[in-house]
Amino acid sequence: MQRRPGSTTSRKLGELALIDQIRRRVSRSSPTSLSLGIGDDCALLRLKPGEEVAVTTDLSIQNRHFRIDLHRPEAIGHRTLARGLSDIAAMGARPVAAFLSLGLPPELTQPLARKNSSWLDRFLDGFLALASKHNTPLAGGDLAQSPIALADIVLIGAVSHGKALLRSGARPGDLLYVTGSLGGSAAALKRLSRRSSRKQISDLAPHLWPQPRISQGLWLRRHNAATAAIDISDGLSTDLYHLCQESRVSAETDAVSIPIFPGATLEDALHGGEDYELLFTARPATRIPRNISGVRITLLGAIHNARANEPRIVLTDDSGRHPLEPRGWEHFSAIRAKPD
Ligand SMILES: [Mg+2]
């Protein structure tokens, strides 16, 4: 959100006014992790001694990751930040600051007729509410005119040196766990796509308002409880495959042990994606509580040796044991592409 003379937008005054507007909203709180926020050429972040920096970036594009006609602006803002925070959570890091670059068609920045707030105001309502919940200041970014809406989020986190939770730490004999429940986002997205009215939104919460598991990631890291972790953005089948690939192990799980969100199907839970729960492994002797910071933890299965370095994931159900292929992103491809 720096005032750069070379910034590529045809609405220069509009851009400056918008940035001032955002800056005023953000400067109401000043967390200790931020020495200098929006307004200078760079933000200055404050880390604690012995910490290293965790950085993640996520691009959300209209008609790929969200639809203006389907998703409320507040939910798009929330989800934009939630995707980044979920990656920070998966590393066991604490969030330090967020940087947001927006490309927007001009009409989304102007107040709607008979209303005081624009699409952008409402996007920021959702974004800043989640940011404040996780003590994550918006410390900078950019704003440009664009034919379609897109939001690029950069999240900075901090974690004690050498203590980050990695995908590569799982070992044969480890047990496999997941936070919360799965499939809720995919099931809600199907309901949302079918619905002409968006009035009843309570059953859409897992899709519209996913809750990044920051507290759970921090708990696992502080207690040295997890050997590996990943957040479930692409679906259990795909993200478990990623974890096994990085750790060079195989895994097995059982359909009855998968915590399926009420109203979702096993298929939603396995392949739906965008649940933003944490999938993690722990040594069998490590005591994992049934719930961490109010979120249920479920034992999903176990980690085994990989044959020829090729991860093999086995799902047991009523009809026996089957290979579980990573195919999370293929579903709902009509309205979104593979989330990164
Ligand atoms: Mg991730």
Side-chain angles (χ1 to χ4, degrees):
M1 307 283 169
Q2 291 80 40
R3 295 181 177 193
R4 291 187 289 102
S7 193
T8 52
T9 170
S10 60
R11 296 184 140 227
K12 199 64 203 168
L13 283 173
E15 182 197 9
L16 294 182
L18 289 167
I19 290 174
D20 276 341
Q21 216 176 35
I22 296 171
R23 187 178 174 183
R24 276 199 302 276
R25 292 190 63 171
V26 168
S27 62
R28 283 176 204 153
S29 64
S30 53
T32 52
S33 58
L34 192 61
S35 303
L36 187 64
I38 298 173
D40 216 302
D41 291 301
C42 289
L44 296 174
L45 309 179
R46 195 179 290 133
L47 298 181
K48 295 173 188 165
E51 283 185 333
E52 56 190 339
V53 178
V55 185
T56 178
T57 173
D58 267 303
L59 183 59
S60 299
I61 300 176
Q62 181 182 348
N63 298 332
R64 292 281 176 179
H65 301 93
F66 61 87
R67 273 175 43 181
I68 298 279
D69 60 336
L70 209 59
H71 296 100
R72 294 165 58 187
E74 294 88 346
I76 298 172
H78 175 103
R79 282 158 44 91
T80 296
L81 180 60
R83 293 177 67 196
L85 282 174
S86 182
D87 284 330
I88 295 291
M91 301 296 286
R94 69 178 174 91
V96 170
F99 296 82
L100 173 68
S101 292
L102 289 169
L104 295 176
E107 62 270 21
L108 296 187
T109 66
Q110 305 305 316
L112 299 171
R114 294 184 293 124
K115 286 186 181 173
N116 273 335
S117 60
S118 64
W119 185 94
L120 173 59
D121 291 326
R122 294 179 56 196
F123 173 96
L124 288 168
D125 286 344
F127 184 99
L128 294 173
L130 184 65
S132 138
K133 185 175 175 185
H134 291 287
N135 207 18
T136 309
L138 177 59
D142 202 0
L143 196 57
Q145 193 170 315
S146 161
I148 56 159
L150 54 94
D152 188 27
I153 183 82
V154 175
L155 251 293
I156 308 292
V159 60
S160 299
H161 190 86
K163 296 285 187 184
L165 306 178
L166 307 181
R167 296 178 179 185
S168 55
R171 285 172 285 167
D174 282 359
L175 297 178
L176 180 68
Y177 298 86
V178 70
T179 63
S181 55
L182 301 174
S185 179
L189 181 59
K190 282 188 279 191
R191 283 196 293 273
L192 187 63
S193 310
R194 281 197 299 263
R195 191 167 296 173
S196 52
S197 157
R198 279 176 284 166
K199 281 179 185 162
Q200 291 172 284
I201 59 161
S202 58
D203 63 340
L204 302 176
H207 176 66
L208 296 179
W209 313 105
Q211 298 300 318
R213 301 308 189 192
I214 294 288
S215 311
Q216 293 70 28
L218 286 172
W219 189 97
L220 292 171
R221 203 256 302 149
R222 285 176 182 147
H223 290 81
N224 286 323
T227 50
I230 187 172
D231 68 311
I232 300 183
S233 53
D234 295 351
L236 175 63
S237 65
T238 297
D239 289 312
L240 177 54
Y241 188 85
H242 290 323
L243 187 145
C244 286
Q245 210 171 23
E246 291 302 317
S247 292
R248 298 173 179 227
V249 293
S250 291
E252 72 169 313
T253 183
D254 197 312
V256 294
S257 58
I258 295 171
I260 301 173
F261 192 88
T265 64
L266 176 64
E267 283 287 299
D268 293 333
L270 289 173
H271 310 298
E274 297 194 311
D275 287 314
Y276 299 109
E277 297 295 349
L278 296 185
L279 181 67
F280 63 94
T281 56
R283 297 303 297 161
T286 304
R287 196 189 151 271
I288 299 294
R290 295 162 75 106
N291 119 21
I292 300 176
S293 301
V295 172
R296 181 165 55 124
I297 307 296
T298 304
L299 176 62
L300 272 189
I303 298 296
H304 301 299
N305 272 311
R307 282 183 205 144
N309 274 344
E310 185 59 32
R312 182 176 149 82
I313 300 170
V314 172
L315 174 75
T316 302
D317 62 17
D318 290 345
S319 59
R321 289 161 58 84
H322 318 278
L324 179 63
E325 303 298 337
R327 55 186 177 94
W329 60 273
E330 290 176 357
H331 288 246
F332 318 112
S333 56
I335 61 168
R336 64 160 199 176
K338 176 184 182 301
D340 301 315

